[in-house]
Amino acid sequence: MLKERSLANFFDEYLKKGSVFGDKSRLQTNYKPEDIPHRDLQLEQVGVIIRPALRLERPSNFFVYGKTGTGKTLVVTKMVDFLIETASGAGVFVSSAYVNCKLDTDTVYGLFTTLAREAGIDLPSTGLSTDDVSGAFFSAIDKKKQVFFIVLDEIDHLIKKAGDDFLYKLTRQNEQLLNAQVAIIGISNDLMFADSLDPRVKSSLSQEELVFPPYNAVELQDILNDRTLSAFAEGALETGVVEKCAAYAAREHGDARRALDLLRVAGELADRKSSGKVSIADVDGAEEKIERDKVADIVSTQPKQAQVVLFSIISVTNGSSKFIFTGEVYEVYRRLCQTVGLRPLTQRRVSDILSEFDMLGVITARVISKGRHGRTREIMLAEQAGTVSVRRILQDALGI
Ligand SMILES: Nc1ncnc2c1ncn2[C@@H]1O[C@H](COP(=O)(O)OP(=O)(O)O)[C@@H](O)[C@H]1O
Ligand SMILES: [Mg+2]
């Protein structure tokens, strides 16, 4: 226990040092920066496609592809907002509704209620069918002579759950509208996604396609430097911190979201130590923490069976980092299933779950040959999955 005097010092120290942050909100994902470095070409491409709306001509529907953190959402929403502003200055009606098909909804009904809400339409809260809601949405926007952009972000997620019929209907909608004209902008991280669409949908939706390339480490540095200008207190970043964040974020593919997260978490770690400065070591700490959180996230959203499998691995491993046999895991898994009241899956199905975990980086698997006795698989728990917090998540989820 700290003595009262040192306790007072403890908080004084904190106050004196102050936070490393200035305007921290600049590091948040939904913050829209003024400048968008290294996306001039993409901003212009989007602008060229959507600008006929300024003359109330219907723009092409189009798709934007690119890996996560390549600026797709930022560039599209910024340009659409900017266009709407310009249009309103010129007395032309242009509107938009944005739906994140991963976060906001997983049904077509949900899609249209979100669109209606975005467009400021009041709907009765119960008793409506999907057709009622889409009908209400379209008749509301058709009251005005306008171009209406529907931005469907992370669209592949909704199509996986709900099929692509609704997209076909959306693209046909203009034939029914008297005043308004609808233009659809689809955004996806999955480059292969359009190939899975019905060819009619594909051709009417991807009249144009843009692919956003990943940023390289130098570009990420520029992006970070731009945003950190007022996100951090003056002199709070030690030399090399921005470079290190950019280098880490460029390792898999140049992901600006990852780079910003690293910098923010590094700042939070520095503040926790009240060191007054963000050091390179804080960036390493941030990288570890983000990886750990990612695993915790994966673990907590797994189906129950997979959680039991993982808990079995953790039990067999018992805190050590060594390879274990999948046979041992299966034995423990069967007993655990009894405890939590689940019917055990076959060894073959458990094997599939293990492959999935391997892909997600929760475990590492290797196949070893046992000479003429055939081959067997050994697995090792990833370091971030062997933590107390992962164990606790599983215990809570399974009630054990
Ligand atoms: N060129 C850029 N300049 C400044 N910030 C950027 C840039 N590109 C992306 N970002 C930021 O990185 C994060 C991820 O960008 P986002 O547009 O959401 O990526 P995507 O939609 O491709 O996954 C957001 O916080 C965004 O503001
Ligand atoms: Mg996005």
Side-chain angles (χ1 to χ4, degrees):
M1 182 68 194
L2 288 164
K3 294 245 171 59
E4 202 166 310
R5 246 184 90 85
S6 46
L7 208 53
N9 279 344
F10 181 78
F11 288 129
D12 274 350
E13 279 285 282
Y14 184 80
L15 268 182
K16 219 166 34 206
K17 283 270 167 54
S19 168
V20 295
F21 290 109
D23 178 6
K24 190 177 171 186
S25 71
R26 290 186 67 103
L27 297 174
Q28 264 149 17
T29 306
N30 55 6
Y31 174 83
K32 294 227 176 92
E34 280 290 301
D35 293 322
I36 308 182
H38 302 294
R39 279 297 174 253
D40 283 355
L41 176 67
Q42 288 74 15
L43 285 162
E44 190 185 325
Q45 287 172 324
V46 171
V48 166
I49 299 174
I50 65 178
R51 72 186 172 193
L54 289 172
R55 299 190 183 133
L56 283 182
E57 290 160 17
R58 180 160 69 86
S60 305
N61 298 327
F62 70 103
F63 257 116
V64 176
Y65 295 103
K67 297 201 166 151
T68 57
T70 52
K72 301 182 298 298
T73 303
L74 175 63
V75 165
V76 168
T77 52
K78 181 106 178 174
M79 271 323 252
V80 170
D81 286 354
F82 197 38
L83 178 90
I84 290 174
E85 220 182 285
T86 312
S88 100
V92 178
F93 278 119
V94 180
S95 321
S96 75
Y98 170 91
V99 184
N100 185 311
C101 300
K102 183 173 161 192
L103 303 177
D104 299 338
T105 175
D106 51 13
T107 60
V108 177
Y109 178 84
L111 169 72
F112 280 108
T113 49
T114 314
L115 284 173
R117 191 175 347 108
E118 280 270 294
I121 301 160
D122 273 333
L123 292 173
S125 59
T126 53
L128 292 184
S129 68
T130 303
D131 283 347
D132 292 338
V133 180
S134 70
F137 169 70
F138 285 116
S139 67
I141 67 172
D142 202 26
K143 293 212 175 88
K144 259 195 248 166
K145 198 150 194 62
Q146 64 173 335
V147 171
F148 196 100
F149 287 99
I150 296 180
V151 184
L152 303 176
D153 204 350
E154 318 244 14
I155 185 174
D156 44 310
H157 285 263
L158 183 56
I159 287 173
K160 248 180 235 144
K161 295 208 169 107
D164 59 8
D165 272 1
F166 77 93
L167 271 180
Y168 182 69
K169 282 191 199 135
L170 265 185
T171 57
R172 297 274 132 169
Q173 196 59 44
N174 281 310
E175 296 161 13
Q176 323 275 328
L177 296 175
L178 300 172
N179 301 307
Q181 308 189 72
V182 174
I184 300 160
I185 306 177
I187 305 177
S188 170
N189 296 338
D190 180 359
L191 273 159
M192 309 304 288
F193 141 82
D195 295 339
S196 67
L197 292 176
D198 180 317
R200 288 173 309 174
V201 178
K202 183 172 182 229
S203 67
S204 59
L205 260 190
S206 21
Q207 291 166 331
E208 318 247 7
E209 284 183 352
L210 303 177
V211 179
F212 284 27
Y215 296 111
N216 63 36
V218 177
E219 290 170 337
L220 288 174
Q221 281 178 33
D222 288 340
I223 291 170
L224 289 180
N225 279 326
D226 220 72
R227 279 178 71 148
T228 53
L229 212 55
S230 59
F232 285 93
E234 220 181 303
L237 298 182
E238 273 183 4
T239 321
V241 162
V242 163
E243 288 78 0
K244 182 109 192 186
C245 290
Y248 270 144
R251 217 165 29 180
E252 273 172 47
H253 69 265
D255 178 345
R257 182 179 295 108
R258 179 71 175 229
L260 287 161
D261 283 348
L262 274 167
L263 198 56
R264 178 179 48 78
V265 174
E268 285 164 359
L269 292 177
D271 264 2
R272 204 168 295 168
K273 293 185 296 194
S274 19
S275 61
K277 261 187 181 287
V278 185
S279 67
I280 303 247
D282 293 325
V283 179
D284 286 320
E287 170 77 7
E288 263 167 48
K289 181 170 190 307
I290 290 172
E291 279 300 314
R292 265 201 317 269
D293 291 353
K294 208 165 79 187
V295 170
D297 217 42
I298 292 172
V299 170
S300 59
T301 54
Q302 286 295 312
K304 260 210 159 90
Q305 287 283 2
Q307 289 179 330
V308 177
V309 172
L310 185 59
F311 197 77
S312 311
I313 299 171
I314 291 175
S315 308
V316 174
T317 306
N318 196 18
S320 72
S321 59
K322 57 169 202 257
F323 276 96
I324 54 176
F325 291 115
T326 51
E328 285 175 80
V329 173
Y330 189 67
E331 282 315 308
V332 174
Y333 160 79
R334 283 214 338 208
R335 263 182 282 136
L336 257 176
C337 277
Q338 255 176 7
T339 316
V340 299
L342 280 179
R343 205 152 85 185
L345 301 171
T346 61
Q347 197 147 2
R348 163 99 226 135
R349 291 286 310 282
V350 169
S351 196
D352 291 342
I353 293 177
L354 292 176
S355 304
E356 179 87 357
F357 277 144
D358 189 15
M359 238 166 51
L360 292 169
V362 175
I363 63 170
T364 308
R366 70 177 182 199
V367 175
I368 52 167
S369 162
K370 294 174 73 181
R372 51 201 171 82
H373 300 296
R375 282 136 58 90
T376 179
R377 191 153 63 152
E378 289 186 332
I379 55 170
M380 185 165 79
L381 198 58
E383 198 186 326
Q384 313 92 310
T387 61
V388 178
S389 70
V390 167
R391 183 184 269 265
R392 201 166 296 142
I393 291 169
L394 289 172
Q395 282 172 327
D396 283 351
L398 299 170
I400 46 181

